[in-house]
Amino acid sequence: MAGGELKYDMSQNAYIKLVLHALKHRSSAVNGVLLGRSNDDVVEIADSVPLFHNHLGLLPPLEISLIMIEEYYIAQGLGIVGYFHANERFDDAELDNVAKNIGDHIYRYFPQAAILLLDNKKIEALPKGKDRSPVMQLYTRDASKNWKLAGSDGGSRLILKEPAANIVLLDFISSQKWQDVVDFDDHLDDITKDWLNPDLFK
Amino acid sequence: MVTKTEETQLNRLEGQVENGGGGAWDYLCFVRKLKVRRSDKVLKYGLSILNDPKKRSSLGPEEWTLYEQVAIAAMDCQCLDVAKDCINVLQKRFPESKRVGRLEGMLLEAKGSWTEAEKAYLSLLEDNPLDQVIHKRRVALAKAQGNMSEAIEFINKYLEIFMADSDTWRELAEIYVSLQMYKQAAFCYEELILAQPTVPLYHLAYADVLYTLGGLENLQAAKKYYSSAIELTGGKNTRALFGICLCTSAIAQLTKGRNKEEKDSPDLQSLATAALEKDYKQRASDKVSVLGSALKSLKVSS
């Protein structure tokens, strides 16, 4: 499969938004979707939308959010290209079945789909080190339809478009910007809250 | 559950304390009363009182309550030294106390000493088999180790004794949902609706689980429970309104080509659609067009 060569190029804003969302809800699992487009052997992840921090396994809120997100981004030529997940427990580095099922669903419409799983250990080490690689692990679907951790061979296929993204992220964390992230759960509870987070990067 | 007014009040108080306006003790009492989790703030402002002998002694016997509150907050923030200091003070004052024993068990948990924590809890349960908090700690302990089947087993045992504890039924339902055991989750919500028939949240969650299960019968039942959630909230529940639209669309897809009479009340969907459109127009006008096309795509597919 040519999928082995496929690279995922993620924009800083898409990246930071998802990490901040997970930091806002530290004691629960959270998820989100990746928006972008594919060019030859690169999937460009241009934006992201934080989805939920409660009841990740229920369909109705997920379906509504995906429909609305798709309708919004289609006008910009972007589609759903992947899924982001952060586990409830700090030391849990496994991709759970809910995440896999949602990934499968996205895969049906976008075969190069990726699942990104938050890497808690890397996040914890972020302030100490000078690691420029993303604090997420990339999973792709292999020929036998299983989600497999990619890039364990060293050559990472998930790339941050802006090399200083982690420095900017640290800055956002230290100024407690995560408090301002709005997800789709918040929107469904109070529709005045905007899941596009237009003010987050102002 | 915390009401909106309570939350506003809490946030106002928190802002006041944060900006040096005083009222730290009132804030801490309010956090305890609402049982909310604001560990970082509790740790900061609780310590500021405990470290000031004058302020501390002015609390009288409440001093010990504060030590306990700060100990728990410190464990949540992984400040285990602070937690240990607080627990030591309490231990000196109440040497035989079970309540302090519970804190010691929690400290073992916070350190990740799972086996020792479990041992401590089991010995506390021997003395008092009906200690609800200890039972719940054991569930938390199983969850912390990722052992969900044990957590479920403990909760079920607990519910055999304390079957009126609705928070625990909710916890169980949420675990089942996270494991995609929807039938079991549905059972929990049925119990909750029977016990508290006027809480819209349970109707909504039950409907969500039924919809996720799928199948004509479940979808039709889901629609009814979305309707009752809407009724119980005076038409103000966005999730339930969307739920009606999803159900109608999914039911229509399943019954395509079948008898027309099965298409019950198509006006329910128009009512839900109209309510959503009106609400978005008033409160989220920039999302009206996205909402419109989303609702349209649900109708087209039906």
Side-chain angles (χ1 to χ4, degrees):
Chain A
M1 225 168 89
E5 312 292 315
L6 208 60
K7 288 215 187 305
Y8 296 86
D9 197 4
M10 194 176 196
S11 85
Q12 179 170 294
N13 286 2
Y15 173 68
I16 290 178
K17 218 188 283 181
L18 294 172
V19 179
L20 292 180
H21 181 221
L23 289 175
K24 182 175 180 181
H25 305 284
R26 282 166 208 254
S27 60
S28 52
V30 305
N31 60 2
V33 283
L34 316 174
L35 285 307
R37 53 169 88 80
S38 70
N39 304 312
D40 301 324
D41 53 356
V42 177
V43 175
E44 184 200 342
I45 302 167
D47 205 350
S48 66
V49 177
L51 289 178
F52 305 106
H53 57 272
N54 272 317
H55 298 118
L56 266 54
L58 291 176
L59 268 185
L62 180 71
E63 286 187 6
I64 286 298
S65 64
L66 292 185
I67 295 173
M68 283 180 71
I69 290 166
E70 250 182 350
E71 293 293 345
Y72 175 82
Y73 280 96
I74 208 164
Q76 303 181 19
L78 300 174
I80 295 174
V81 297
Y83 172 74
F84 167 78
H85 193 93
N87 282 327
E88 180 175 6
R89 287 184 303 116
F90 178 84
D91 53 3
D92 181 3
E94 297 275 318
L95 197 61
D96 72 8
N97 281 328
V98 172
K100 286 178 189 165
N101 288 347
I102 298 175
D104 285 342
H105 178 78
I106 294 170
Y107 174 89
R108 246 172 267 149
Y109 298 92
F110 186 77
Q112 296 107 310
I115 296 181
L116 302 179
L117 180 68
L118 190 71
D119 187 333
N120 290 321
K121 295 251 154 61
K122 267 186 137 177
I123 269 210
E124 195 187 29
L126 208 54
K128 296 163 216 153
K130 290 200 168 68
D131 197 347
R132 293 189 160 211
S133 64
V135 294
M136 296 172 187
Q137 291 180 322
L138 171 70
Y139 284 80
T140 52
R141 241 169 77 130
D142 63 12
S144 53
K145 303 199 169 169
N146 292 317
W147 288 97
K148 274 245 173 78
L149 184 61
S152 49
D153 52 333
S156 181
R157 288 163 51 201
L158 176 65
I159 303 152
L160 292 170
K161 188 171 272 170
E162 292 87 349
N166 276 343
I167 296 165
V168 181
L169 173 64
L170 274 175
D171 203 34
F172 271 76
I173 294 174
S174 60
S175 58
Q176 303 202 324
K177 264 281 190 186
W178 38 265
Q179 286 173 335
D180 305 334
V181 178
V182 172
D183 65 9
F184 226 94
D185 256 338
D186 299 324
H187 176 76
L188 289 175
D189 289 336
D190 174 1
I191 58 169
T192 59
K193 300 204 170 137
D194 192 345
W195 41 269
L196 288 171
N197 288 295
D199 301 323
L200 191 62
F201 296 106
K202 264 182 195 160
Chain B
M1 269 171 276
V2 180
T3 65
K4 258 226 159 101
T5 15
E6 284 169 336
E7 200 183 327
T8 327
Q9 206 182 338
L10 180 72
N11 287 338
R12 211 195 48 224
L13 205 50
E14 188 176 284
Q16 182 192 317
V17 179
E18 203 130 291
N19 295 320
W25 174 245
D26 292 334
Y27 171 72
L28 293 164
C29 289
F30 204 44
V31 168
R32 274 206 308 276
K33 189 180 151 217
L34 299 182
K35 296 184 175 159
V36 289
R37 187 174 180 173
R38 305 236 167 154
S39 303
D40 53 333
K41 302 279 189 300
V42 169
L43 180 62
K44 192 168 154 199
Y45 303 125
L47 268 186
S48 75
I49 296 179
L50 289 181
N51 288 335
D52 182 336
K54 228 194 210 155
K55 276 189 199 160
R56 194 179 64 211
S57 56
S58 74
L59 296 178
E62 295 273 35
E63 177 184 345
W64 313 111
T65 321
L66 183 59
Y67 270 113
E68 183 185 40
Q69 188 180 14
V70 172
I72 295 172
M75 287 186 252
D76 200 18
C77 298
Q78 279 290 309
C79 297
L80 300 185
D81 292 337
V82 176
K84 198 156 193 296
D85 291 343
C86 292
I87 295 172
N88 283 344
V89 174
L90 289 167
Q91 169 72 30
K92 239 181 227 160
R93 177 71 179 74
F94 309 99
E96 294 294 309
S97 162
K98 298 275 174 282
R99 196 158 152 182
V100 178
R102 197 158 79 202
L103 290 175
E104 285 167 338
M106 287 172 74
L107 187 62
L108 291 168
E109 263 191 86
K111 281 182 190 156
S113 314
W114 310 126
T115 342
E116 283 155 64
E118 175 74 8
K119 241 187 246 162
Y121 291 145
L122 280 177
S123 93
L124 285 168
L125 277 180
E126 251 169 51
D127 296 333
N128 180 12
L130 295 181
D131 188 326
Q132 300 193 22
V133 178
I134 299 291
H135 280 287
K136 289 183 179 177
R137 284 319 318 161
R138 287 187 75 209
V139 174
L141 194 56
K143 273 184 85 176
Q145 295 171 81
N147 191 344
M148 286 311 192
S149 53
E150 195 175 80
I152 290 173
E153 191 194 315
F154 286 168
I155 295 182
N156 276 315
K157 270 192 198 150
Y158 172 89
L159 284 173
E160 275 171 26
I161 314 171
F162 308 102
M163 49 188 84
D165 185 340
S166 49
D167 282 338
T168 304
W169 279 108
R170 262 178 76 184
E171 173 73 25
L172 183 59
E174 282 170 21
I175 293 179
Y176 280 136
V177 166
S178 75
L179 297 173
Q180 300 184 293
M181 296 165 76
Y182 299 114
K183 275 193 183 140
Q184 288 83 344
F187 178 85
C188 297
Y189 286 119
E190 282 162 11
E191 287 285 331
L192 284 165
I193 292 172
L194 278 175
Q196 290 165 286
T198 53
V199 178
L201 193 72
Y202 301 151
H203 291 250
L204 177 69
Y206 185 50
D208 279 345
V209 171
L210 288 172
Y211 180 90
T212 309
L213 273 168
L216 189 55
E217 214 171 297
N218 287 329
L219 289 170
Q220 278 163 341
K223 202 162 145 184
K224 284 184 189 143
Y225 280 90
Y226 282 129
S227 306
S228 57
I230 292 170
E231 198 179 357
L232 289 167
T233 51
K236 293 233 180 313
N237 194 303
T238 312
R239 292 171 191 267
L241 291 167
F242 274 123
I244 294 284
C245 300
L246 285 173
C247 282
T248 317
S249 165
I251 291 171
Q253 252 171 5
L254 278 178
T255 56
K256 224 177 230 171
R258 284 202 219 164
N259 291 342
K260 277 262 158 31
E261 57 195 304
E262 281 187 40
K263 281 194 177 171
D264 57 341
S265 57
D267 50 325
L268 192 56
Q269 185 184 19
S270 341
L271 284 173
T273 310
L276 281 169
E277 276 168 347
K278 190 179 159 208
D279 197 20
Y280 269 77
K281 237 173 238 162
Q282 282 174 353
R283 300 198 298 138
S285 51
D286 56 328
K287 293 279 178 301
V288 168
S289 69
V290 174
L291 175 82
S293 33
L295 292 173
K296 213 196 256 164
S297 82
L298 276 176
K299 256 189 195 150
V300 170
S301 65
S302 64

